[in-house]
Amino acid sequence: MAEIHPPYSSLKKTLSLLNGFVTVSGMILIGLGLSVKYGEANLTRVLGLSSAYLFHVGYLCLIIGCITLLLGLAGWYGATKESRNTLFFCFLLMVIILILEITAAAVVLALFRMVREMALEHTFVTLRKNYRGYNEPDDYSEQWNLVMEKLKCCGVNNYTDFSGSSFEMTTGHTYPRGCCKSIGTAACDGHTVSRDVIHQKGCFLKLLKITQTQSSTLSGVSLGAAVIQLPGILATLLLFIKLG
């Protein structure tokens, strides 16, 4: 076997190191996807389609992260074994992933602006129509109960959102128990609206803040992962060319 020319050896070591960074970026994307799926972003599900993009992009990050993790290992193998086919395969897939990451970051930022402008009215109307009560088994009511308890708020704009709603017409109560500061107390009767009894402010602004934070995180991490991966992509192409 011919002796490896020194520049090849140096480039292979560099590529192996860069593939380590690529692998780390994959782990970061996996962590990001899991945090969107199981973290605070779950509370924004009550916004309906207005927040659905967070979960779609989160799942995309999870998938891309898994693929990137494997590509980092494949790139290391291709550099070590001087396999042009493996290097070319890794290069093509990493370019596609890079494009997806940049696109995802741009889409997330663009869609958040739409959420900020359109979600309020839709969420308000849906709450008044579909919310049933504190102990109701339907997913929509359970999600809203969780939001109101976790964020310490009531309704979309404020506690008066339930006035005239299907919830009030069904139960006769002005607000659900999820609005109460202490759910088990006698004062939490669905009629007493004192500041000492219920959270009077609405949940929308808090949900919007969570959506903004999650959007910024998704966008920033996606772009950060792309920056981390770019040197590895270029080094992979360079080694592929030199081995030709």
Side-chain angles (χ1 to χ4, degrees):
M1 182 177 178
E3 184 179 351
I4 299 175
H5 196 269
Y8 280 25
S9 178
S10 176
L11 182 56
K12 285 169 61 178
K13 289 179 181 179
T14 301
L15 182 54
S16 296
L17 177 62
L18 292 175
N19 277 319
F21 288 122
V22 169
T23 302
V24 170
S25 73
M27 294 178 180
I28 292 172
L29 288 171
I30 291 173
L32 178 63
L34 292 175
S35 70
V36 171
K37 184 176 181 180
Y38 298 108
E40 196 176 35
N42 262 316
L43 296 175
T44 66
R45 289 186 184 276
V46 295
L47 298 178
L49 293 176
S50 299
S51 66
Y53 73 93
L54 287 178
F55 304 98
H56 294 322
V57 176
Y59 293 139
L60 179 63
C61 287
L62 191 58
I63 294 170
I64 288 178
C66 292
I67 296 174
T68 302
L69 183 65
L70 295 176
L71 284 176
L73 298 175
W76 172 83
Y77 173 84
T80 303
K81 300 297 183 179
E82 298 184 20
S83 171
R84 294 187 80 238
N85 289 336
T86 302
L87 290 172
F88 187 65
F89 174 76
C90 290
F91 170 74
L92 286 181
L93 281 185
M94 287 304 301
V95 168
I96 294 172
I97 286 175
L98 187 74
I99 294 172
L100 286 175
E101 288 167 343
I102 295 173
T103 303
V107 167
V108 164
L109 292 178
L111 287 177
F112 173 71
R113 295 190 181 94
M114 294 175 60
V115 169
R116 187 172 53 192
E117 296 171 1
M118 300 171 57
L120 178 58
E121 182 63 25
H122 170 76
T123 307
F124 174 72
V125 171
T126 306
L127 174 73
R128 289 175 58 82
K129 180 181 178 181
N130 296 334
Y131 182 80
R132 297 180 182 178
Y134 187 75
N135 289 320
E136 295 299 323
D138 65 294
D139 291 341
Y140 184 78
S141 297
E142 287 183 354
Q143 288 171 3
W144 260 109
N145 291 328
L146 179 63
V147 167
M148 291 188 288
E149 287 184 42
K150 290 284 187 182
L151 301 183
K152 302 185 184 306
C153 54
C154 184
V156 179
N157 299 296
N158 53 53
Y159 71 96
T160 63
D161 290 349
F162 295 99
S163 179
S165 68
S166 60
F167 164 76
E168 185 184 45
M169 289 187 285
T170 302
T171 65
H173 293 159
T174 307
Y175 58 84
R177 281 195 289 170
C179 293
C180 294
K181 294 182 177 180
S182 297
I183 294 176
T185 61
C188 180
D189 56 7
H191 300 288
T192 305
V193 295
S194 168
R195 291 182 181 273
D196 296 328
V197 178
I198 66 171
H199 302 288
Q200 296 191 335
K201 292 184 178 181
C203 302
F204 184 74
L205 291 180
K206 293 183 178 182
L207 289 169
L208 193 64
K209 185 176 181 180
I210 292 173
T211 305
Q212 182 178 23
T213 301
Q214 293 294 325
S215 297
S216 298
T217 301
L218 280 170
S219 180
V221 173
S222 296
L223 289 176
V227 171
I228 292 173
Q229 294 158 9
L230 184 58
I233 294 173
L234 296 177
T236 299
L237 177 62
L238 181 60
L239 182 58
F240 170 80
I241 293 173
K242 284 185 173 294
L243 290 173

